Amino acid sequence: MPQATKARIEELIGKIEDAYFDYDKHTLRPDAIEALKADSTELRDIIVQYPDYKLMIEGHADERGSEAYNLALGDARAKSAKDYLANVGIPAAQLSIVSYGKDKPSCEQHNEDCWQKNRRIHIVATR
């Protein structure tokens, strides 16, 4: 893969915002779809040319609920995002998922604003 192409893929992944979820839900909200849609078309057009390039979709939950429940919820959130990205044409074979449940919060306060920031998916390149 040319260095310029690799840099462009990384730039696009960096621009794709985290998609956020409602409490106890794993379906993509309209704002989550917009976050994923923004750069996914160009990303798809590039990434299909490089089948060895892989993306990881990380699922996250807020601190409420048991460890097992939040791991399952993070997994369901990551699967929802993977399904969306596959539907826009990013090969499913280039997408993997992982759930961190409540173990990697982006915010550590104990209030709704913070919990909302933790109910998310995040996309990273794994190559």
Side-chain angles (χ1 to χ4, degrees):
M1 171 185 305
Q3 188 61 34
T5 302
K6 184 177 173 182
R8 181 63 182 150
I9 290 173
E10 290 173 2
E11 179 184 344
L12 288 169
I13 292 169
K15 285 172 54 177
I16 295 175
E17 298 175 17
D18 290 352
Y20 296 95
F21 293 82
D22 289 330
Y23 176 71
D24 202 30
K25 304 281 188 228
H26 65 273
T27 53
L28 292 172
R29 304 183 318 204
D31 63 320
I33 291 171
E34 285 301 313
L36 292 172
K37 183 168 49 170
D39 294 298
S40 61
T41 302
E42 185 179 356
L43 181 61
R44 174 204 63 212
D45 293 346
I46 296 172
I47 204 169
V48 296
Q49 301 172 51
Y50 302 97
D52 291 337
Y53 200 89
K54 311 290 187 199
L55 301 177
M56 174 76 69
I57 303 164
E58 302 173 342
H60 299 270
D62 66 33
E63 66 187 41
R64 299 170 292 176
S66 70
E67 185 73 23
Y69 180 81
N70 283 323
L71 283 170
L73 186 56
D75 188 67
R77 289 173 174 164
K79 284 179 183 172
S80 291
K82 179 181 179 180
D83 290 346
Y84 174 82
L85 293 171
N87 284 335
V88 298
I90 296 177
Q94 289 176 261
L95 300 170
S96 59
I97 63 170
V98 64
S99 176
Y100 291 113
K102 59 185 174 183
D103 291 338
K104 291 190 173 188
S106 66
C107 179
E108 300 204 12
Q109 297 170 351
H110 306 289
N111 59 49
E112 184 54 42
D113 286 341
C114 184
W115 293 329
Q116 174 60 83
K117 292 175 185 166
N118 291 332
R119 297 190 301 261
R120 71 195 191 285
I121 61 96
H122 181 74
I123 300 171
V124 296
T126 59
R127 304 214 202 334

